[in-house]
Amino acid sequence: MIIQYGQALSNYLYDVFVAKFDFWLAFGLVAQLFFTARFLVQWIASERAGNSVVPMAFWFCSMGGGLMTLVYGVVKREPVIILGQALATVIYIRNIMLIIKNRGRASKSLER
């Protein structure tokens, strides 16, 4: 029984990641990696500051990865991805606008 589950999982992973591999799957994977990189950026910035901070690069990674994922969702006709990323991208852009607007003042998340 365990062998059958292992074979089924192996067949599934092969089908998803190898048999269906094309440009758009590669694009979607890169988009997801770019989007996920924002957490690494935030973690490194927080470690350096010795405090939890959200650097500007976090929002650019969010926006870039989100837009790429949105394009992937549109091409693949995935309504869940389209709705989620379209709404999230608006939030990322608004945060970037607020940061630029308040450039001279410290962000509340950066105050000690």
Side-chain angles (χ1 to χ4, degrees):
M1 182 161 98
I2 292 175
I3 293 174
Q4 289 173 330
Y5 286 130
Q7 288 173 337
L9 177 61
S10 175
N11 290 340
Y12 173 80
L13 293 174
Y14 177 84
D15 184 51
V16 169
F17 291 102
V18 178
K20 293 184 178 180
F21 190 84
D22 63 359
F23 170 80
W24 287 109
L25 177 59
F27 184 88
L29 291 172
V30 169
Q32 188 61 46
L33 287 172
F34 189 28
F35 189 73
T36 302
R38 69 195 187 135
F39 294 114
L40 183 60
V41 166
Q42 193 271 332
W43 179 32
I44 291 169
S46 293
E47 288 293 334
R48 286 183 179 167
N51 192 18
S52 182
V53 296
V54 180
M56 185 72 147
F58 174 90
W59 297 110
F60 281 116
C61 286
S62 297
M63 187 179 63
L67 285 172
M68 288 177 70
T69 304
L70 177 59
V71 168
Y72 175 81
V74 168
V75 168
K76 291 296 190 174
R77 298 175 183 240
E78 293 285 345
V80 174
I81 293 174
I82 294 168
L83 289 174
Q85 290 304 320
L87 295 174
T89 301
V90 170
I91 294 168
Y92 306 144
I93 292 169
R94 181 62 180 150
N95 275 296
I96 290 170
M97 289 170 58
L98 289 170
I99 291 168
I100 291 170
K101 176 183 170 189
N102 298 313
R103 197 71 154 173
R105 294 181 260 163
S107 170
K108 291 198 185 295
S109 66
L110 297 177
E111 290 178 359
R112 291 184 181 197

